Amino acid sequence: MVEKQFTITDEAGMHARPASALVGAVSKFKSDITIEHNGKKVNLKSILGVMSLGIPSGSVVTIAADGEDENEAVERAAEVMKTEGISNQ
């Protein structure tokens, strides 16, 4: 299992457009990929799950992947978090 923490820097928090980009980017991976916020963990391949977290700006989230391509999955998620302006990490 690989995990990485991110601080949400987008002033609107994790809203629909970047959340959709993130879900789309990780959906191709075989690993189980989750995002956790305030103790609630959801499937990062589910836009409804991600949006249900209601992640505001300044929050810390953990993205975790478990499976054969876990490293690549977390790396790709990190790239999208940065390019979409969700996090600067």
Side-chain angles (χ1 to χ4, degrees):
M1 177 176 278
V2 177
E3 293 184 345
K4 185 167 182 175
Q5 287 193 327
F6 300 89
T7 300
I8 304 303
T9 56
D10 186 317
E11 61 185 45
M14 178 76 77
H15 54 95
R17 185 190 47 76
S20 179
L22 186 58
V23 168
V26 301
S27 291
K28 67 179 182 173
F29 293 98
K30 294 179 182 175
S31 295
D32 292 327
I33 308 167
T34 60
I35 185 168
E36 183 175 354
H37 171 63
N38 279 349
K40 186 175 178 186
K41 188 183 291 189
V42 299
N43 182 353
L44 188 53
K45 296 178 182 179
S46 165
I47 187 67
L48 292 177
V50 175
M51 294 305 297
S52 75
L53 294 176
I55 304 168
S57 182
S59 297
V60 175
V61 299
T62 302
I63 293 179
D66 188 21
E68 63 185 75
D69 52 5
E70 60 192 22
N71 289 314
E72 295 87 353
V74 172
E75 286 174 21
R76 181 67 183 129
E79 289 172 12
V80 173
M81 293 284 280
K82 189 169 185 175
T83 60
E84 288 294 321
I86 307 167
S87 175
N88 58 10
Q89 298 166 313

